[in-house]
Amino acid sequence: MSNRYAVILAAGQGTRMKSKLYKVLHPVCGKPMVQHVVDQVSKLNIKEIVTITGHGAEMVEEQLGSSSKYALQVEQLGTAHAVMQARELLEGKEGVTIVVCGDTPLIKHETMEALFKHHEELSAKATILTAHAESPFGYGRVIRNEQAMVEKIVEHKDASEEERKIKEINTGTYCFDNKALFEALNKVTNDNVQGEYYLPDVIEILKNEGEIVTAYQTADFEETLGVNDRVALSQAETFMKKRINEEHMRNGVTIIDPLNTYIGADVKIGSDTVLYPGTILSGNTLIGSDCVIGPHTEISDCHIGDQTVIRQSAAYDSHIGSQVNIGPFAHIRPQSDIHDEVKIGNFVEVKKSVFGKGSKASHLSYIGDAEIGKDVNLGCGSITVNYDGKNKYLTKIEDGVFIGCNSNLVAPVTIGEGAYVAAGSTITEDVPGEALSIARARQVNKENYVQKLNK
Ligand code: UD1
Ligand code: MG
């Protein structure tokens, strides 16, 4: 195998997206398009990946980090001009360079591997990855001669009526002999409708020099979809979503209604977990085995153990253990740490709090900035009063505490191990362990009051 290099084109503004966000940073299933591309390219045994940045260069570099080197294209004069910017990093190197557009998020490493193989087997100087498109509008068309050999690529805008009928399109991914690529780039001109330096022109240049130029057609057009506007973005989302859901199903996850289940590209799920409709899992979320999630549940950046049930709820940036039962209608806010066998029932909001093993808040509570021990029972309507308008304070509830219904715990405050708080209390001072604390007005019954009133 020859040395492999990669150039990823990501400098364009993406005018057709009509967006403040640079095109290649638009997410597909929660991950920026260019990140999808780099993740796939990274699986190809590449010596050096060079990403061409321009519009939003800093943001693109921040996104991709050290997985790539960068070359800046100050002015976006076309895709050939973009590749030229990698000259200092790559020119003169022996090997094969794959060029991929940052706006083709569905491209798979297996297909790129097949492209490399095809290129190497035919000892070609250039190999285009092509696909058959039912609606080829906007794509460059592959022009072949009578012997079906590739002659050149014509951009949609430059194509004649006849050429526009061709359904074999340039996917924007190519393998080049690295040296031949940089030599040919010097000869590309901008004599076309858009006044741009087109990378596909390298094909015709090499062909005219008598070099071997080939095409490798992939059977799957979906994979090569180029995202230039929001319509294509939504198509990419649909294709990617299907791909991700099917992979989870093949790995043993039950998805009741895949069309209405949205799983981010980096989410991991254990086997025999069941996802009900309306489930949205995103970010760096990890769900164990035998869980039941949904219906109508949003989980983002959470680590969840096994056999946990979360129904009609939202959870963000938190740890949730095994055999936990959450919902319906619970809200787990960031930095919460819910240990095993906890129950968080309907209309309970938890924020930046620890729930020790086996503790329960079954109904209608707000628990914020709290450290709750094991086997604590928080009665219906338990509230941690954590905020005085300026600062937030901690509520500590030790193991085995029982908080009666409708109690306010005014922080900072500690309820000692095994203590009881009577229903309806507003606790403003620490409660010693094993104590019963009652902090409410005594009940007064005025006997025969109504009779007196009516006299
Ligand atoms: C390009 C191809 C077209 C192909 C299609 C596949 C050219 C001239 N045309 O068209 O044959 O069918 O992709 O999706 O190459 N970019 C830069 N610098 C520039 C211009 C573009 O980095 O100066 C980047 C863009 O950020 C983008 C990629 O190159 O990621 C492709 O550019 P785009 O404008 O989307 O080209 P298409 O019109 O889609
Ligand atoms: Mg494009």
Side-chain angles (χ1 to χ4, degrees), residues 306-383:
D306 301 325
Q307 298 171 30
T308 283
V309 177
I310 305 181
R311 296 180 203 277
Q312 282 112 332
S313 292
Y316 308 103
D317 192 17
S318 289
H319 271 87
I320 298 172
S322 293
Q323 297 181 15
V324 171
N325 202 323
I326 293 178
F329 314 115
H331 184 186
I332 311 296
R333 290 170 54 198
Q335 297 181 53
S336 294
D337 187 3
I338 315 286
H339 294 192
D340 295 349
E341 297 169 39
V342 163
K343 178 166 196 283
I344 297 193
N346 40 199
F347 307 108
V348 174
E349 175 178 342
V350 177
K351 179 226 132 187
K352 201 179 176 185
S353 293
V354 180
F355 266 73
K357 188 177 174 196
S359 289
K360 294 187 174 74
S362 298
H363 346 257
L364 297 152
S365 286
Y366 170 66
I367 306 298
D369 303 299
E371 275 176 33
I372 297 167
K374 284 183 272 188
D375 298 317
V376 168
N377 190 74
L378 299 165
C380 175
S382 297
I383 307 284

Side-chain angles (χ1 to χ4, degrees), residues 9 11-12 16 23 73 76-79 103 140 155 170 198 200 228:
L9 305 183
R16 291 164 279 182
K23 176 165 78 172
Q73 185 191 23
Q76 285 67 51
L77 303 180
T79 46
D103 66 349
E155 285 307 298
N170 169 26
Y198 293 162
N228 294 325

